[in-house]
Amino acid sequence: MFRWSEIKAHFKIMNPYIAFGFILFFAGLVVGGTNSAFSDYLEQQLKALGNVAESLEQTENPTLAFMVFIFLNNAIKSIFIIYIGAIFGIIPIFFLVLNGMVVGFLLQHVAETQGTGDMLTVVLGLLPHGIIEIPAIVVACAYGMKFGVLLLKAIGRLIIPGKEAGKSGREIEYFMIRSVPVVVILTVALLVAAVIESTVSVWVSSL
């Protein structure tokens, strides 16, 4: 049985990684909104999302289809990103920066082509689910980065054996145990975000 006190204690340990995750996301947001060098790539990303949205609109129940797609897409990616972080924590870093760039590019593109009034509508449309979804993704990536750091330490201790040679196994085991309740919390949070995004956010964006 997982104790909330233990989960909170581990979140405190993870605070530096979570803070760094937010820094990466907002750095990506600034780059996506100000640097035109990535515009072609980011336009392709938004176009791909638009094509998916069009396909979902053709279903019998678009709201449910959007909800299921958003939830599965975010939940699977978030869980995957925690454990794929084992590859030196590189993919979680890339994932955070890319997501920030897409959001920054979207806001900048709307402001340029449709004016600040429409940009405000987009921001208001992102807020209802974004206040849950973005922190959840940042936390997932923070855990992915932590996993990468643990494995790098383990490799270092294998190369240069010393008193702490057996410490890595215990650290990784502890991390894996602590990651299970985090996965559950993130899954629930992303389910709530998907419900809001497919209902409230759509309604706000249409105002």
Side-chain angles (χ1 to χ4, degrees):
M1 184 176 177
F2 300 115
R3 296 177 182 174
W4 180 242
S5 59
E6 292 176 354
I7 296 170
K8 283 173 65 179
H10 196 249
F11 268 121
K12 285 184 180 179
I13 295 171
M14 290 297 299
N15 275 345
Y17 291 90
I18 294 171
F20 183 56
F22 275 108
I23 291 170
L24 287 174
F25 178 82
F26 285 111
L29 191 148
V30 172
V31 171
T34 59
N35 195 323
S36 59
F38 303 98
S39 58
D40 289 342
Y41 175 73
L42 296 173
E43 279 180 13
Q44 289 175 3
Q45 296 296 308
L46 289 176
K47 187 177 179 182
L49 290 173
N51 291 338
V52 171
E54 286 179 11
S55 299
L56 295 174
E57 285 284 1
Q58 305 305 315
T59 60
E60 291 183 8
N61 191 331
T63 299
L64 180 61
F66 271 103
M67 189 185 304
V68 171
F69 172 78
I70 293 166
F71 169 66
L72 290 178
N73 181 59
N74 288 336
I76 291 171
K77 283 182 179 177
S78 294
I79 295 169
F80 178 74
I81 215 76
I82 290 175
Y83 300 110
I84 200 66
I87 307 174
F88 310 134
I90 295 171
I91 294 177
I93 292 172
F94 174 77
F95 186 74
L96 273 177
V97 174
L98 177 61
N99 275 271
M101 288 174 66
V102 169
V103 174
F105 178 76
L106 173 63
L107 295 176
Q108 182 270 339
H109 180 73
V110 171
E112 266 190 5
T113 59
Q114 300 176 39
T116 54
D118 283 329
M119 187 180 76
L120 180 61
T121 301
V122 172
V123 171
L124 291 174
L126 290 172
L127 275 177
H129 66 275
I131 56 175
I132 299 174
E133 186 177 301
I134 292 172
I137 290 171
V138 169
V139 169
C141 290
Y143 271 78
M145 289 186 282
K146 174 68 173 178
F147 197 9
V149 168
L150 288 175
L151 287 187
L152 278 172
K153 283 182 179 179
I155 292 170
R157 287 165 180 164
L158 285 174
I159 296 171
I160 311 171
K163 292 189 235 179
E164 297 187 335
K167 190 176 178 182
S168 291
R170 294 191 299 273
E171 287 179 342
I172 292 171
E173 181 184 8
Y174 177 74
F175 173 84
M176 296 298 286
I177 292 170
R178 289 275 65 86
S179 70
V180 174
V182 172
V183 167
V184 174
I185 292 169
L186 292 180
T187 301
V188 173
L190 290 169
L191 176 60
V192 173
V195 172
I196 294 172
E197 186 172 356
S198 58
T199 53
V200 177
S201 295
V202 172
W203 174 72
V204 171
S205 299
S206 64
L207 293 178

